[in-house]
Amino acid sequence: MTTLTERPDRPTTVSADDPRLRDRSAARSYTVLAVLVAVLAVLPFFLDDQTETVAIRTLIFAIMAVGWNLMSGYGGMFSFGHAAFFGIGAYTGAYLLVEHGVSPWIGMVVGAVISAAAGCLIAFLCLRYKLAGSYFALATFAFAMVFLLSVQNLDVLNRTEGFNVPILSEDSWTMMQWKAGSPLYFWIPLGILAVGLIGTIAFVHSRTGQYAQAVRDDEVAAASLGIPVMRIRLITVAASCALTSLAGSFYTQYYFFVGPEQAFGSAVSVNAIVPAVIGGIGTIWGPLVGALIVGPLSEWIADVLREPPGFLSFLEGLSGLDVAVYAALLILIVLFMPKGIYGTLRDRFRS
Amino acid sequence: MTEPTSTAAAPEAPPDRGTLHRPSEAVVPLGVVAAVVVAIVLVYAVGDRATDLVTQSVVTGLLLGGVYALVSVGLTLIFGVLGIVNFAQGAMLTMAMYLVYEMTSSGGLPVYVAMLLAVPIMFVFGVVVQVALLNKLTLSGSHEGPLLVTLGLSLLIINVLLMIFGGRPLRVPGSVDGSVEIFGAVASYERLIAFAGALLVAAALLLFLRRTSFGMSIRAVAANAEGASLVGVDVRRIYALTFGIGAACVAVAGGLMAPFLSLTPTVGEQFTILAFVIVVLGGLGSVTGALLGGLIIGLVQTVGALYFPGTGSLILVFAVFVLVLFFRPQGIIGASS
């Protein structure tokens, strides 16, 4: 993300196949990312505790959405079950820490590896049996349900009780634990998000990423050009699942608790889908934009409901409004801005 | 691309192609039925569970399966004709149940009368949803769009109900008490009525699809929307009415189930999932498949609960689902060619 250095004597015209053309768009993305991360990194010094909680939740949404977008946006494999991978991350970290005292950092990596493997297995089965479109979505949804139900019925994973992360008396880097409100709780997900976005940018500009998009757009044509369709798809899925899993592992550490519904519930899958769709599927920045809207939305609505202005007083104390609003937002975006907010704005600027 | 079934990797079965039952097509359904019967006999013989307990599970499972079937018939019809996987099916079921609740508790109507009133309301709701939200996406052949819109719709319905009625469980006052014994198993009248009503409605729907000219246009659109529009069928109208019929099915199912379920805004969610499983098991788009699938899943759930208490039996249901997806994605009644 620090690779951009302006070259003063760049020729004014470049041929269409000049590799620098491609490099520049990647470099521009990396620059934007670097600036963005730098700006966000100082946020914890200005935010009060409650706002920071919202910001951290927004970051978790963003990581999940960026992960989901890799597979569903760039790979064209529409996942309705990303809770499975979020949950694997959350539970692997929690299980290793609580039962074996393993550092959450290691748990995070192990969780990502297991998630990627599970994702590849599921995707391989689905693709092997040629499930596409709605069928693929349903199958991933079913797998997430199977995981949820299994966890609820496995003694070794504490059934519906979940895991409580033991709270230490002092800060510990190895145990990924600091006193409440520490900026590190913000920087870690920010770091993961940065890794995810760097990965996305690199992926989009890499041969693999180009292949993945070709496969998404026309599988048969891509295969006929010699693209190894299955391998490309599985790589995409693995990256997507691993990233989502990291969000899950961090979730456990941040909230000191994980249960079956928080990890594998269908609401988790929805949380991965909605920001990406609202921001723009298949774009680098869309999921982030979507998360920045969806993340604070529920908090903002909860604020309004606590002390509603006069004309909204009938809504006081009602639960459910926040989800209703973002469900309505989802429907409107799909109907009127199928490319999402970021995608639509980008197209408008370009033309 | 208005081909409604183009998402499916496997060739699709349009809903019930008349009386054309070649022997090869009947083999799989009969085989499945035989397998289920054998499985039940095995549970009796070597299942290591008390006989009356098993009988009770089988009876409950079949009765439950009938209602599952009705929810699934709506879903499968919508899929077969529009190519839309309706994620909001369960939420629409919940909505119908709250309608019935509102009419019985505030309006003082008997529950089954309320159900009859809920049917046209849900039908209109379904038509409006299709016309306002889905027609554009359906006609453009998008796969993800309708999935996302119905997902949003489902969240919207659930949360609006939560805002209006709150999350406390509510009960619809039943109007028929008592139960009857079948082979030593207890079946309440309410569940029997639900079962009979569900089968009756499903049978009526089948007749309607096969015997009326309107049913024929629906089947024509399912088979080939473009072709149907060329011979003068108004595809948009068929789409809207089909979604309406699908919604009306859940209205009936909701009314029939309301007396024996405790009502919360999320009560329908599990039915969305179960209905998917049933529809895929039966063959997406096949009404008879949905009936058969409903009964099987009902049985799997209740008989499975003998061995896996709590939510464990649902794992079995999903195991069936995954196996079907991989080994026979066209379902029991799917076209085999």
Side-chain angles (χ1 to χ4, degrees), chain A residues 335-350:
Chain A
L335 284 181
F336 299 110
M337 286 182 155
K339 287 177 178 168
I341 291 174
Y342 171 77
T344 308
L345 288 180
R346 184 192 60 185
D347 287 1
R348 188 152 300 169
F349 268 105
R350 277 187 184 165

Side-chain angles (χ1 to χ4, degrees), chain A residues 78 80 125 129-130 132 134-135 137 139 141-142 146 149 152-153 273 318-321 323-324 327 330-331 334-335, chain B residues 8-9 12 85 87 133 136 144 147-149 152-153 155-156 159 162-163 273 284 311 314-315 318 321 325-327:
Chain A
F78 221 71
F80 256 60
L125 287 172
Y129 291 97
K130 303 223 175 300
S134 319
Y135 277 84
F141 186 75
V146 170
L149 292 167
Q152 283 176 341
N153 287 282
I273 298 172
L318 286 178
S319 53
L321 181 65
V323 186
L330 173 69
I331 296 176
V334 174
L335 284 181
Chain B
E12 280 310 322
V85 174
F87 249 77
L133 303 179
K136 198 178 91 184
E144 288 85 17
L147 214 57
L148 289 169
V149 167
L153 186 66
L155 291 172
L156 192 62
N159 286 283
L162 182 65
M163 284 158 63
I273 302 161
L284 276 161
T311 52
L314 275 176
I315 296 184
F318 281 100
F321 180 55
L325 270 184
F326 290 151
F327 295 109

Side-chain angles (χ1 to χ4, degrees), chain A residues 111-175:
Chain A
V113 171
I114 297 178
S115 248
C120 282
L121 182 67
I122 293 172
F124 176 77
L125 287 172
C126 291
L127 299 170
R128 161 79 181 72
Y129 291 97
K130 303 223 175 300
L131 304 182
S134 319
Y135 277 84
F136 189 90
L138 286 184
T140 49
F141 186 75
F143 273 107
M145 280 305 292
V146 170
F147 281 37
L148 171 66
L149 292 167
S150 308
V151 169
Q152 283 176 341
N153 287 282
L154 281 176
D155 281 327
V156 68
L157 295 177
N158 285 352
R159 291 177 176 262
T160 48
E161 311 256 300
F163 285 105
N164 284 298
V165 174
I167 297 175
L168 306 176
S169 51
E170 54 195 26
D171 292 4
S172 161
W173 266 94
T174 37
M175 287 299 156

Side-chain angles (χ1 to χ4, degrees), chain B residues 3-337:
Chain B
E3 176 85 35
T5 53
S6 55
T7 32
E12 280 310 322
D16 302 289
R17 289 164 304 166
T19 48
L20 264 177
H21 278 300
R22 280 175 286 129
S24 64
E25 277 186 16
V27 167
V28 175
L30 287 180
V32 170
V33 171
V36 170
V37 172
V38 168
I40 292 174
V41 170
L42 276 179
V43 169
Y44 271 116
V46 291
D48 194 29
R49 291 289 183 277
T51 314
D52 50 344
L53 223 77
V54 180
T55 313
Q56 180 68 54
S57 306
V58 170
V59 168
T60 317
L62 283 175
L63 292 183
L64 196 64
V67 189
Y68 284 177
L70 187 54
V71 180
S72 318
V73 164
L75 192 69
T76 205
L77 196 64
I78 291 172
F79 185 89
V81 178
L82 291 88
I84 290 177
V85 174
N86 181 16
F87 249 77
Q89 193 79 358
M92 284 174 6
L93 178 73
T94 317
M95 185 176 158
M97 283 159 75
Y98 272 96
L99 271 176
V100 169
Y101 168 82
E102 192 55 33
M103 284 189 269
T104 48
S105 63
S106 308
L109 293 172
V111 61
Y112 296 115
V113 176
M115 176 192 83
L116 290 180
L117 291 177
V119 170
I121 299 176
M122 287 306 292
F123 177 80
V124 170
F125 176 78
V127 171
V128 169
V129 165
Q130 175 64 25
V131 170
L133 303 179
L134 292 168
N135 251 347
K136 198 178 91 184
L137 295 167
T138 319
L139 291 170
S140 73
S142 151
H143 309 320
E144 288 85 17
L147 214 57
L148 289 169
V149 167
T150 53
L151 173 73
L153 186 66
S154 156
L155 291 172
L156 192 62
I157 292 175
I158 291 173
N159 286 283
V160 168
L161 288 175
L162 182 65
M163 284 158 63
I164 299 173
F165 293 97
R168 283 171 296 106
L170 303 171
R171 281 212 79 85
V172 173
S175 50
V176 188
D177 284 333
S179 58
V180 65
E181 273 201 16
I182 306 169
F183 304 118
V186 181
S188 69
Y189 282 125
E190 284 165 348
R191 283 179 186 266
L192 277 175
I193 291 174
F195 180 75
L199 289 196
L200 207 68
V201 171
L205 195 63
L206 258 182
L207 270 181
F208 163 77
L209 284 175
R210 287 191 180 170
R211 297 267 184 264
T212 64
S213 73
F214 183 62
M216 199 207 253
S217 350
I218 290 183
R219 287 187 291 135
V221 172
N224 187 334
E226 224 166 313
S229 76
L230 282 177
V231 296
V233 176
D234 184 348
V235 175
R236 284 163 181 271
R237 187 164 147 265
I238 295 289
Y239 279 173
L241 294 177
T242 306
F243 207 94
I245 293 173
C249 282
V250 293
V252 177
L256 290 173
M257 278 191 289
F260 55 84
L261 283 183
S262 77
L263 204 50
T264 62
T266 51
V267 68
E269 267 195 328
Q270 54 161 330
F271 289 95
T272 308
I273 302 161
L274 283 171
F276 283 142
V277 175
I278 290 163
V279 163
V280 171
L281 174 64
L284 276 161
S286 159
V287 174
T288 30
L291 279 173
L292 197 54
L295 295 179
I296 293 174
I297 291 299
L299 279 174
V300 169
Q301 211 188 344
T302 51
V303 179
L306 290 174
Y307 300 93
F308 303 92
T311 52
S313 65
L314 275 176
I315 296 184
L316 277 186
V317 170
F318 281 100
V320 170
F321 180 55
V322 170
L323 287 180
V324 170
L325 270 184
F326 290 151
F327 295 109
R328 201 176 160 81
Q330 70 271 45
I332 300 175
I333 316 256
S336 44
S337 54

Side-chain angles (χ1 to χ4, degrees), chain A residues 105-301:
Chain A
W105 297 100
I106 298 173
M108 220 174 218
V109 175
V110 175
V113 171
I114 297 178
S115 248
C120 282
L121 182 67
I122 293 172
F124 176 77
L125 287 172
C126 291
L127 299 170
R128 161 79 181 72
Y129 291 97
K130 303 223 175 300
L131 304 182
S134 319
Y135 277 84
F136 189 90
L138 286 184
T140 49
F141 186 75
F143 273 107
M145 280 305 292
V146 170
F147 281 37
L148 171 66
L149 292 167
S150 308
V151 169
Q152 283 176 341
N153 287 282
L154 281 176
D155 281 327
V156 68
L157 295 177
N158 285 352
R159 291 177 176 262
T160 48
E161 311 256 300
F163 285 105
N164 284 298
V165 174
I167 297 175
L168 306 176
S169 51
E170 54 195 26
D171 292 4
S172 161
W173 266 94
T174 37
M175 287 299 156
M176 206 193 280
Q177 230 180 74
W178 299 275
K179 66 178 190 321
S182 159
L184 283 161
Y185 279 124
F186 183 89
W187 288 333
I188 292 174
L190 182 62
I192 299 174
L193 178 64
V195 169
L197 285 170
I198 291 171
T200 305
I201 297 167
F203 178 79
V204 171
H205 292 93
S206 74
R207 192 170 282 261
T208 313
Q210 294 291 328
Y211 282 174
Q213 292 172 67
V215 171
R216 170 194 67 189
D217 294 338
D218 192 333
E219 183 184 342
V220 176
S224 74
L225 291 173
I227 294 176
V229 171
M230 180 65 91
R231 194 197 313 161
I232 293 292
R233 280 187 159 158
L234 291 186
I235 291 172
T236 318
V237 169
S240 165
C241 297
L243 187 58
T244 309
S245 162
L246 294 181
S249 300
F250 174 76
Y251 176 95
T252 308
Q253 281 305 308
Y254 180 63
Y255 288 98
F256 294 103
F257 170 73
V258 63
E261 279 296 332
Q262 290 84 1
F264 292 101
S266 52
V268 180
S269 299
V270 173
N271 285 344
I273 298 172
V274 172
V277 173
I278 288 180
I281 299 177
T283 61
I284 293 171
W285 306 107
L288 180 61
V289 172
L292 290 177
I293 294 168
V294 173
L297 183 72
S298 52
E299 196 63 23
W300 182 74
I301 289 172

